[in-house]
Amino acid sequence: MNSFHPSDREPVAPIVHGTIRTANEALELAERELERLQRRSIASLLRQAAALVAPRARGAGIHGAFPLPRGAERPWRRAARAELRSLVATGPGTPSLPLGATVLARLLDRRLERWPSVSRIAQAARRVEDSEFARICLGTAWLLDGQLRSADAMFRSLLRRPEVLRHRWRVLQGLALTHLAAGRDELALGAIESCAEDPECGITAVVEALGLTLVIGDPARARRAAARLDMLVDPYAPAFVAALARIRARVQRFDGGRTLRFLARHPKTAIVRNELARELRSPAGCVARAMM
Amino acid sequence: MGEASLLDGSAREVLARIVPGDPLDVRRFAGRRLRERALFLDLERVSLRAFAQVARDAASATRGSGGAGFVERSVDRAIDSLLDEDLDPFSCSDSEDSFDEPSVVAHELARPLGLDPRDVRDACVRFHALPQAVRRAFFLIVVDGQPVAANTPSERRIALDACRALRTLLPSDSPPPSVTS
């Protein structure tokens, strides 16, 4: 009980400082802070739920990955149950369950296979707590569910914000993958190159940047992207293997015949691709071979 | 009433016990941690969030029934969550002492720096992104007014760090502060 020091405590008084006048007012404001913490926790649980269903979205494994790693279902259920228990136990005076608690309860009642789509869950999470990350999750969820217009609008609106974004590279990556899914390869390359310049960007951006230069057919940009990839990426890193798998899946599907259509039409790119593909151990070589 | 009984029950019940009179010294811990971590956050705002965090952690099944450092850990979590919210452009608090309006700290800091309190709010966010050593150097020299001669490498480091922190707080068109040894 080290945190309880009755002896060295100042005389008992309500916190009367700054703008707070009475103990009742302080309690009321602290209760609002408690509700805020509850909302944050529910929103986080809903985003984790979205990550749980993301792999079954139709664009999963092709267009990108959800910004949160897929956790295990059982610990999520335990945490969600504990959160709901704490909400019910808030006692008399609780006006109503916080927004999102009902959605959480419904998810708990159903098996994972019967949960709504990743974008519906991500939308519920954003309604509970709006944040830059909540918007990125929703944009990515729309991309994975194939709602490309909504995804595009979300990422563009984020980039138009006057404030400095904390996860700008994630927004650029989301926009690039949305352009790619819509067959706008040139725009996709522009966005992914901006993303790859961010020192915090993930492996996916660096891998996609090379993949796209090979699609577009720009040997100089392809060589630059390859050099960056080889310098930054460990070919055995799980994130690299996952990004490579997505490129392979996309090449196999040709994504509705739009994306990657031009791949075979650029002899110059074919030369660079073949040149890179000869480097068997390099990450750039792996990407080049995946594109063949 | 001992700490264990204060922390017993639902989050709202705990809150109703720990806010009036502040028997757990949450406010004092909050003030101490703000100072140790060299942060410009309103003590009132941090205290309210810390009360809520303590209540929530106490009611949580994983709390491990209070114990040593329980309040301090909750206070730190409360500070972290506020710093996180301040960094988010979409975060809007519904509390009256939210960061949406210039805080007491912003007003206090704006006066000597000759700035608008609203500019200070953004400056504080930038300041909080600095490494703790840099923030502490600023607190040592500027807030506490400790003289630093900058004769030894470590003193010079502190002076340079304080200058770096000051540059972060001042608008970009201000003349740069200098260190003379």
Side-chain angles (χ1 to χ4, degrees):
Chain A
M1 304 297 170
N2 289 352
S3 57
F4 188 54
H5 308 287
S7 54
D8 60 12
R9 206 185 324 129
E10 289 158 22
V12 173
I15 48 167
V16 184
H17 54 274
T19 55
I20 298 175
R21 302 270 177 267
T22 63
N24 276 349
E25 194 185 342
L27 183 58
E28 200 179 300
L29 290 171
E31 278 175 352
R32 275 159 53 176
E33 288 298 316
L34 179 63
E35 282 161 20
R36 192 172 169 78
L37 287 175
Q38 285 166 339
R39 277 207 308 275
R40 278 176 72 104
S41 175
I42 291 173
S44 166
L45 281 165
L46 287 175
R47 284 195 295 270
Q48 288 168 38
L52 280 170
V53 293
R56 72 162 201 227
R58 72 177 191 192
I62 303 171
H63 296 324
F66 197 67
L68 276 176
R70 186 187 193 277
E73 186 184 346
R74 204 175 283 178
W76 180 88
R77 285 187 179 275
R78 258 202 309 274
R81 262 188 225 107
E83 186 60 47
L84 285 178
R85 261 200 310 272
S86 84
L87 292 175
V88 173
T90 47
T94 312
S96 59
L97 282 179
L99 195 67
T102 322
V103 182
L104 205 58
R106 278 195 202 133
L107 293 178
L108 268 175
D109 281 345
R110 294 183 195 176
R111 283 184 298 134
L112 187 70
E113 297 73 40
R114 298 199 55 217
W115 282 9
S117 66
V118 57
S119 57
R120 284 189 62 190
I121 300 176
Q123 232 164 344
R126 189 196 152 191
R127 272 197 296 271
V128 175
E129 188 202 37
D130 196 6
S131 67
E132 184 189 324
F133 191 62
R135 288 179 187 222
I136 292 170
C137 285
L138 180 55
T140 311
W142 273 326
L143 165 66
L144 297 182
D145 275 344
Q147 298 178 47
L148 302 184
R149 275 190 183 183
S150 301
D152 186 74
M154 175 60 86
F155 292 128
R156 279 173 189 276
S157 73
L158 278 166
L159 289 173
R160 275 198 299 269
R161 299 284 303 192
E163 304 93 344
V164 177
L165 296 173
R166 293 171 77 184
H167 309 282
R168 192 165 186 274
W169 71 268
R170 283 190 189 277
V171 180
L172 285 165
Q173 179 174 290
L175 183 65
L177 294 172
T178 307
H179 283 317
L180 191 59
R184 301 185 291 262
D185 298 334
E186 287 276 4
L187 291 175
L189 180 58
I192 206 72
E193 280 186 334
S194 302
C195 174
E197 280 165 17
D198 191 316
E200 288 187 25
C201 83
I203 287 177
T204 303
V206 190
V207 172
E208 292 286 358
L210 173 59
L212 274 163
T213 52
L214 295 174
V215 169
I216 299 294
D218 188 327
R221 284 160 99 179
R223 285 198 177 95
R224 272 203 305 275
R228 176 160 48 201
L229 182 67
D230 286 345
M231 188 173 68
L232 296 176
V233 174
D234 168 10
Y236 300 105
F240 175 68
V241 175
L244 205 56
R246 275 197 293 275
I247 285 190
R248 280 203 193 98
R250 210 182 295 143
V251 170
Q252 275 169 10
R253 284 207 197 178
F254 265 32
D255 208 4
R258 288 180 297 176
T259 307
L260 306 176
R261 175 183 287 178
F262 312 113
L263 193 57
R265 295 191 189 169
H266 286 275
K268 274 186 189 171
T269 315
I271 293 169
V272 179
R273 203 173 56 229
N274 294 340
E275 178 189 305
L276 293 173
R278 279 197 290 275
E279 296 294 327
L280 293 179
R281 287 186 184 173
S282 81
C286 295
V287 174
R289 283 193 299 281
M291 302 292 289
M292 293 171 105
Chain B
M1 195 184 272
E3 183 178 340
S5 29
L6 284 169
L7 297 176
D8 195 36
S10 73
R12 252 165 220 277
E13 287 165 349
V14 173
L15 208 56
R17 274 185 231 117
I18 64 172
V19 174
D22 190 8
L24 293 178
D25 274 350
V26 171
R27 189 169 176 256
R28 186 168 65 83
F29 282 123
R32 198 177 76 195
R33 288 304 288 149
L34 284 179
R35 187 131 198 103
E36 284 167 357
R37 293 174 65 175
L39 296 168
F40 286 125
L41 287 173
D42 258 359
L43 178 58
E44 191 169 273
R45 179 172 177 239
V46 174
S47 302
L48 290 169
R49 175 60 62 90
F51 281 125
Q53 188 71 57
V54 168
R56 195 175 148 75
D57 291 348
S60 147
T62 54
R63 72 184 160 97
S65 65
F70 173 75
V71 175
E72 291 97 319
R73 283 196 299 275
S74 295
V75 166
D76 266 334
R77 263 199 290 276
I79 292 173
D80 291 341
S81 72
L82 289 172
L83 290 174
D84 189 59
E85 280 173 25
D86 289 348
L87 277 173
D88 197 297
F90 301 97
S91 174
C92 53
S93 174
D94 51 6
S95 116
E96 281 168 16
D97 61 334
S98 76
F99 215 53
D100 298 339
E101 286 302 314
S103 61
V104 178
V105 161
H107 281 289
E108 299 270 319
L109 205 56
R111 220 173 299 129
L113 293 174
L115 300 172
D116 186 290
R118 285 178 191 278
D119 295 334
V120 172
R121 188 179 68 175
D122 295 339
C124 284
V125 172
R126 290 196 302 272
F127 180 82
H128 293 155
L130 293 171
Q132 183 162 304
V134 176
R135 299 197 310 263
R136 288 177 84 143
F138 180 84
F139 263 54
L140 182 79
I141 296 177
V142 181
V143 179
D144 297 340
Q146 295 282 322
V148 174
N151 289 331
T152 64
S154 65
E155 283 176 342
R156 193 164 168 77
R157 177 79 262 159
I158 290 172
L160 286 170
D161 280 348
C163 281
R164 182 182 163 194
L166 184 59
R167 271 199 302 274
T168 306
L169 284 169
L170 291 173
S172 51
D173 53 357
S174 301
S178 63
V179 180
T180 48
S181 52

